[in-house]
Amino acid sequence: MPDMSASASLAMTNLVTLAKEVDEDKVTPGVLGFIVFAVMALAVWGLMKSMNRHMGRVDFKEAPDPAEASGKDTAETGTSGKASQG
């Protein structure tokens, strides 16, 4: 297996030289990265505003169940409008 260690050390040597060539001062997201981030932030803000508006319109009161509405007849006989589970 000496071939694998030799190729691994050769690969590491090449990677180290590539890492030295990269100038850390020039590797930035730049203006394009800022524009993409700003557009995504505006999209999230717009979606949250729209969601809050839609959630404000939601009526959380449930409509009466038709079986319970007709349950007045069964209430007189002493049985409940709900089916018994057993």
Side-chain angles (χ1 to χ4, degrees), residues 41 50 60 81:
S50 174
F60 288 103

Side-chain angles (χ1 to χ4, degrees), residues 13-27:
T13 305
N14 288 336
L15 287 176
V16 170
T17 57
L18 285 176
K20 289 180 182 176
E21 292 176 7
V22 175
D23 186 12
E24 292 182 11
D25 294 333
K26 292 183 180 179
V27 179

Side-chain angles (χ1 to χ4, degrees), residues 67-82:
E68 290 181 10
S70 64
K72 293 179 183 177
D73 297 334
T74 58
E76 294 173 356
T77 61
T79 61
S80 67
K82 296 181 181 177

Side-chain angles (χ1 to χ4, degrees), residues 2-70:
D3 294 330
M4 292 201 109
S5 62
S7 62
S9 66
L10 181 62
M12 288 302 290
T13 305
N14 288 336
L15 287 176
V16 170
T17 57
L18 285 176
K20 289 180 182 176
E21 292 176 7
V22 175
D23 186 12
E24 292 182 11
D25 294 333
K26 292 183 180 179
V27 179
T28 63
V31 177
L32 179 63
F34 174 74
I35 291 171
V36 169
F37 181 78
V39 167
M40 289 174 57
L42 286 173
V44 169
W45 178 78
L47 287 171
M48 292 294 289
K49 188 172 180 176
S50 174
M51 182 189 69
N52 284 332
R53 195 173 339 142
H54 282 88
M55 290 299 288
R57 294 179 185 168
V58 173
D59 184 19
F60 288 103
K61 295 180 182 176
E62 293 184 14
D65 191 17
E68 290 181 10
S70 64

